[in-house]
Structures are given as structure tokens and as C-alpha cells.
Amino acid sequence: MRFLQPDEQLVPMARAMFTDLWDGRALEAKDAKETLNKQLKALGAEVKSLLGRIVQATSLAVIGAYEACIE
């Protein structure tokens, strides 16, 4: 009992398990990246819209409210 060796089938099975886990994490990361990119695009459009409204606004109170939304 001085040396313990894994069964010959254990190593390929463990490798397959870790590969499946790794691939699953990679897919989750890709999905998260896509979601964040969509949110970033939407926020960019919102900021652009608010900046357009600021340029067209004449009331200082309205301009201040739009600027507060952007910050």
C-alpha cells in the first residue's frame, strides 16, 4: 500500500470531466461577454440620445437634469 496508482480508465475519464467543465466555463464566459456588449451598446445609444436632447434643450433646469442622467 506504499504506492497508489489510479486505474487506467480513471485518467481519461478525469480528463474528459475537466474538459467538459472547461468548455462549459468558456461558453458561460462567451455568453457573458455577448450580454455585456449588448448592454454597452444600449447604454451608448442612451447617452447619445441624452446628449442630443441636451444640445436641443434651452432650459438650464432641463439641461441639468439630462446631465445628471448621463453621470
Side-chain angles (χ1 to χ4, degrees):
M1 294 275 303
R2 289 179 102 182
F3 299 102
L4 295 176
Q5 292 184 344
D7 187 83
E8 289 180 17
Q9 295 175 345
L10 182 62
V11 174
M13 183 175 58
R15 178 172 290 177
M17 289 171 54
F18 286 120
T19 300
D20 287 346
L21 288 170
W22 186 270
D23 292 344
R25 293 291 177 110
L27 184 58
E28 288 174 9
K30 180 182 174 194
D31 290 343
K33 181 181 177 183
E34 290 174 2
T35 299
L36 289 172
N37 281 333
K38 287 178 185 177
Q39 290 175 348
L40 182 61
K41 186 176 179 180
L43 286 172
E46 185 178 347
V47 167
K48 184 176 180 180
S49 173
L50 288 171
L51 286 174
R53 291 179 189 175
I54 289 172
V55 169
Q56 294 176 353
T58 56
S59 167
L60 291 178
V62 172
I63 292 171
Y66 285 143
E67 288 175 343
C69 286
I70 291 175
E71 292 176 357

